[in-house]
Amino acid sequence: MADTDAAAAEPVRFKSNYAVSRRIEPFYKGGRIQISRDGKFMFCPCGSKVNVLDVETGALLHSLQQEEEEDVTAFVLSPDDEVLLTSSRALLLRQWHWREPRCARAWRALHPLPVATMACDSTATLLATGGCDSTIKVWDMVKHYCTHNLKGSSGVVHLVEFHPDISRLQLFSSSMDYKIRIWDLNSSKCVAVLDGHFSAVTSLAFADGNTLLSSGRDKICMVWDLESRESKRTVPVYETVEAAVLLPEKGDFSQLGVKKQGLHFVTAGSKGILRVWEVASAGCVYSQPVPFAPREEPSERSLCQCLWVPARGELVTVSLEHNVMFYEAQTLQLRKQLAGYNEEVLDVKFLGPGDSHIVVATNSPQLKVFELATSHCQILYGHTETIMALDVFRKGLMFVTCAKDRSIRVWRMGKAGRVVCVAQGLGHAHGVGAVACSRMKESFVVTSSQDCTIKIWNIPESLTSKAKAASISSPETLHARVTEKGHNKDINSVAVSPNDKLLATGSQDRLAKLWSCSDCSLLGVFSGHRRGIWCVQFSPVDQVLATSSADGTLKLWGLRDFSCLKTFEGHDASVLKIIFVSRGAQLLSSGSDGLLKLWTIKTNECVKTLDGHEDKIWGLHSNKQDDMVVTASSDSCITLWQDVTEIEEKEAQAKQEEQIMKEQELSNLLHEHRYLRALGLAISLDRPHTVLTVVKAILKEPEGRKHLEENIVRLRKDQKEAVLAFLVTWNTNSRNCHEAQAVLEILLKHEAPDSLLQFSGIKPAVESLLPYTERHFQRLSRLLQASMFIDFMWQHMRLGDTAQQDNGTL
């Protein structure tokens, strides 16, 4: 209680700005990935670019972007990890120094159609490209020319591989006729055709110099003797195989059923699991447990690639859902999973006791839980149709989801971060579109549906107790305690008050309603929006309800008299989500135009507008510390925003203190007649008037012109450029034109014309100086003429006085 009072006594710190601290965005959209030999970097094709990721953190390091923005059709990393080669639909090949990143050279592919596959030999001196035009070309990467043009394949060449023994100079390929061709690069001829598959060949792996393993979509793997060029063994694997990887002969793979010496390989394919096969017996010795419920369609989780990464001791698989999974090689236990593509993101919330995770609802039946530190992604199966919304209980360990399959599910996070479904409920007649959890205890859940009803579901105590929850083997069934028809149209949002006594709903019928949580009785109606209401939120401190609408406004309503207290206008599109921040003193809103706006309630002012997304922002949530916000959008991006108000205030204060110190130092330097240092300091402060003051002080000194010349000449080039820009301003005022002309004279005297032309902004400076300088000379000419006339008159007046004096004397 004392802590609460102390927190309440603290003054509210208003936020003024948020900055993007991290973005989780699509990095892989299909195709073959590659991993560097040291296992530290992963290369993923994503439209017109290849993304380079840090495997350990999952962070995007940089992208290799095609200039013509045409999609990358194939790419390959050289065996020494130094060079990356890409081909695009623009029929160009590019060689990249990917660490910098920089394109070293680009050249025409000579294929009339796009390149479908690429391979480098073990010395990284030869590159093979297989095209959609049925030809294969081999390139010398040192001398940069095409050495071979191999014809004879049928249809698209989708696979090329060099023999690991470079002395043999052999290239293996496969095309649409399902045959494996062996090309002799000495003679540029096809020397053998391995015919055995009845569907597309998907991978080739060399066990040794004379043994080749091939996999195909015809549900078989074949072992070939390269001396006799005959099939030694056919292994039926009973699934469409996309990749087969040989297990090393050295290593303990006993946990994978490897009991004998001999050739073993791992397959990945349409069943979505890894299986280990023994070549001698043609039998499966190990099969991964199915990671999803039997009723799920396994084809959706099909694996399309498998890689062996010796440096990490891992097998890496890629699924059709664009997920990259890292398995420990000796046990095939999942170590890490990265989500390459999120589709449209519909909701997002912080999760975990320290907000260490985020849970994301994408436009699919699966949930994704990201660990922020490592980017590891858990994929949760359970719902059978698209998940529409989710909400997290106060402690951050349990959360609830609702979906178009008319069900809700309660999930719980364990100590290790693993999330499991602990309860599920059915009862709505249509898809469930909104859900809200109780705020004080994990006691109930409120849902709303397209059937226009509200349901309150009690959470059994067995789910909230850690000990009891750990013993739950299958999800418990939830039953709705109360059902009430709430609105005449779809209910878009529900919210529970901080004391768990009230709940609010917002609907497409343009109304928000207040209900009692105990019996779901209607307490009042909030009417005033011109279009449907997208979101409702209770204030954490006041008896106030906030609503946002498709009419582009936010409104605050009093809970006692249901009157509209404030209206916030500023969004040009529908306001989809709102949350309270700064302990209820500010609002943060997100719109369908991809903008976030921060509002201060007391002043009705929009403090900041943040542009971080390109499409509708459906998800918006703040962490418990109230210093970070997460947003999720239809553009497939999840953005984490850090509150930088305090940082910016400290930076501004430090800058102000530094300015004061420099001004004091400048005053001291002028007093001590240390003009060169004073001039440099005034220029660094970017203060034209202060620099002018220094110039005037120098000119007032005995031999001031000489001293000014000495000081100007000793300035750096960038400082002279700054002085030139300053004197352009001084020259516009007749009071300061003498100082400006004095400095200009020194620059013209000591800087060669070629050197002056290199100054930044020299052209506009000269254009500005000329007219004012001419005006000053004209003014001086007029003054000179006037002074000569006065002198003439004075001389005549003196002559007249002298004559009169002479006459008087006479």
Side-chain angles (χ1 to χ4, degrees), residues 555-720:
K555 289 181 182 289
L556 287 182
W557 310 83
L559 298 183
R560 293 184 178 177
D561 56 3
F562 311 109
S563 63
C564 179
L565 305 175
K566 283 178 181 286
T567 300
F568 301 88
E569 296 180 345
H571 279 281
D572 294 326
S574 299
V575 187
L576 303 177
K577 279 285 170 74
I578 44 170
I579 56 171
F580 283 90
V581 293
S582 307
R583 299 218 303 268
Q586 290 179 295
L587 281 167
L588 197 61
S589 61
S590 67
S592 60
D593 53 3
L595 298 178
L596 281 172
K597 286 185 181 287
L598 178 65
W599 310 83
T600 299
I601 292 173
K602 188 175 181 180
T603 60
N604 266 48
E605 180 190 3
C606 177
V607 179
K608 191 76 178 178
T609 298
L610 305 167
D611 187 0
H613 292 280
E614 296 175 359
D615 209 339
K616 303 177 187 71
I617 302 176
W618 290 112
L620 176 64
H621 192 227
S622 176
N623 65 349
K624 296 185 190 73
Q625 302 245 335
D626 198 26
D627 61 354
M628 188 171 278
V629 167
V630 62
T631 56
S633 167
S634 296
D635 62 8
S636 304
C637 289
I638 301 159
T639 305
L640 290 152
W641 304 81
Q642 181 75 42
D643 175 17
V644 292
T645 305
E646 195 172 343
I647 296 168
E648 288 183 348
E649 285 176 358
K650 285 181 179 177
E651 285 177 355
Q653 187 178 352
K655 194 173 181 181
Q656 189 178 1
E657 289 174 358
E658 186 183 359
Q659 290 282 85
I660 292 167
M661 292 292 290
K662 283 185 175 181
E663 285 174 6
Q664 182 61 50
E665 185 184 354
L666 182 63
S667 177
N668 294 339
L669 290 169
L670 288 171
H671 183 70
E672 295 167 8
H673 304 288
R674 295 166 64 187
Y675 294 122
L676 180 64
R677 183 76 187 275
L679 203 59
L681 188 59
I683 292 168
S684 70
L685 286 169
D686 193 26
R687 297 210 175 164
H689 183 71
T690 310
V691 176
L692 178 63
T693 305
V694 176
V695 171
K696 285 182 175 180
I698 296 172
L699 289 172
K700 284 178 183 177
E701 293 285 313
E703 298 186 344
R705 281 269 180 173
K706 182 181 176 183
H707 289 155
L708 180 64
E709 188 172 348
E710 289 171 354
N711 288 315
I712 295 292
V713 167
R714 291 168 66 185
L715 292 175
R716 298 191 310 269
K717 183 189 173 186
D718 61 314
Q719 291 175 322
K720 289 176 183 177

Side-chain angles (χ1 to χ4, degrees), residues 483-494:
T483 301
E484 186 68 38
K485 185 172 183 351
H487 292 265
N488 295 322
K489 290 186 179 180
D490 291 1
I491 301 172
N492 292 327
S493 177
V494 292

